[in-house]
Amino acid sequence: MTAPTLFFERVSSTMDVIHELAEQGAEAGTIVVAGEQLTGRGSRGRPWHSPVGGLWLSALYRPPIAGAIEIISLRAGLAVAAALEAQLAEPIRIKWPNDLMLEERKLGGILCEARWAGDVLAWVAVGVGLNLRNSIPPELGSAAVSLRMRQPDINEEQLQVSIISALRTLDLRAAKLTPAELSRFAARNWLSGRVIREPLSGTVSGLTADGTLLVRTADGAESAVRTGSIALAALPTRS
Ligand code: BTN
């Protein structure tokens, strides 16, 4: 039997709801969708503007092995990007680690939160936020984009169904990214070949199987970036 998809008109955050359900024993694959979030959250503790009109959902995982949470986030990003692209006339790229990009602008993001019982991973909640026809806060300016601005005729219902199905069938068995996943990521790597200045200066050169971003520094060495925000060195240029 398929795990349930629960719809709410308004919640604090679908992450809060999915954690509560997980605490009560909800099965892996349970999905929570909300029309609106009052205190939606993004990565690094940022608020996530979530008015009516966007796609705001969380999925519950109980991974068989405690792989790095960054890998789950990358896998979810790949799955959502593929589901989106199946309905869009434009490619979706991933700005490591969790931004879904339409050309130079952010269309959505992925947020992963793990809960532990001592040393044991109890569950992982994966949140997906996508700007469909919601308003974009003015302070984000041209950094963000909604689907309505690019493809107003999109079938939102079908998009939601295919994203939920892609998230439910996410394969988390391998502790590291497989060669196939790495090559899918390489094809979507928005940062590839771009020069960054934070968290270190260099040119993004790739991704490792443990989800670490590789950056080639001026001395020719490759350094690994595990966490943190990426800041581009200058105006983005396509590689
Ligand atoms: C990011 O790019 O910073 C991640 C954004 C994740 C937003 C989604 S919306 C559904 C789920 N509930 C939340 O409060 N956040 C995630």
Side-chain angles (χ1 to χ4, degrees):
M1 217 173 71
T2 320
T5 301
L6 306 167
F7 295 90
F8 296 84
E9 199 176 323
R10 185 181 300 120
V11 295
S12 54
S13 158
T14 56
M15 300 303 270
D16 295 338
V17 179
I18 205 93
H19 285 304
E20 275 167 34
L21 292 169
E23 187 82 59
Q24 292 159 19
E27 61 184 305
T30 299
I31 307 275
V32 168
V33 186
E36 184 184 2
Q37 300 185 115
L38 299 178
T39 51
R41 52 184 182 263
S43 51
R44 288 172 284 281
R46 294 179 190 137
W48 182 263
H49 181 68
S50 333
V52 171
L55 179 58
W56 324 122
L57 64 82
S58 293
L60 175 63
Y61 297 92
R62 297 186 184 274
I65 43 169
I69 194 159
E70 293 77 18
I71 290 187
I72 299 178
S73 176
L74 290 165
R75 285 187 172 134
L78 284 171
V80 173
L84 260 168
E85 214 174 80
Q87 288 199 51
L88 272 179
E90 301 177 82
I92 298 292
R93 296 213 157 78
I94 299 171
K95 181 180 175 199
W96 184 92
N98 57 4
D99 293 350
L100 296 159
M101 306 294 291
L102 235 179
E103 292 187 338
E104 301 305 308
R105 296 158 89 179
K106 178 161 169 168
L107 177 66
I110 311 274
L111 176 69
C112 283
E113 295 175 346
R115 293 290 183 266
W116 298 80
D119 289 347
V120 179
L121 180 64
W123 67 80
V124 176
V126 173
V128 177
L130 278 182
N131 298 318
L132 300 181
R133 60 193 150 76
N134 51 292
S135 59
I136 304 279
E139 64 272 19
L140 291 181
S142 60
V145 66
S146 69
L147 272 188
R148 179 184 49 184
M149 291 152 90
R150 302 296 288 255
Q151 200 163 318
D153 60 345
I154 194 102
N155 183 332
E156 288 179 19
E157 212 166 299
Q158 200 186 321
L159 181 64
Q160 183 175 296
V161 168
S162 56
I163 287 177
I164 289 174
S165 148
L167 288 171
R168 275 221 177 93
T169 50
L170 212 60
D171 187 352
L172 301 180
R173 285 172 301 177
K176 300 208 172 207
L177 294 169
T178 64
E181 287 171 325
L182 282 171
S183 91
R184 275 161 41 214
F185 187 85
R188 294 194 188 279
N189 188 354
W190 187 87
L191 284 169
S192 181
R194 296 194 194 228
V195 181
I196 63 169
R197 63 180 160 79
E198 295 282 347
L200 80 173
S201 294
T203 304
V204 174
S205 51
L207 188 79
T208 67
D210 56 12
T212 304
L213 193 71
L214 290 173
V215 179
R216 193 168 295 285
T217 49
D219 60 4
E222 250 181 354
S223 294
V225 177
R226 264 163 239 292
T227 52
S229 266
I230 302 291
L232 295 177
L235 281 178
T237 49
R238 263 242 171 275
S239 57

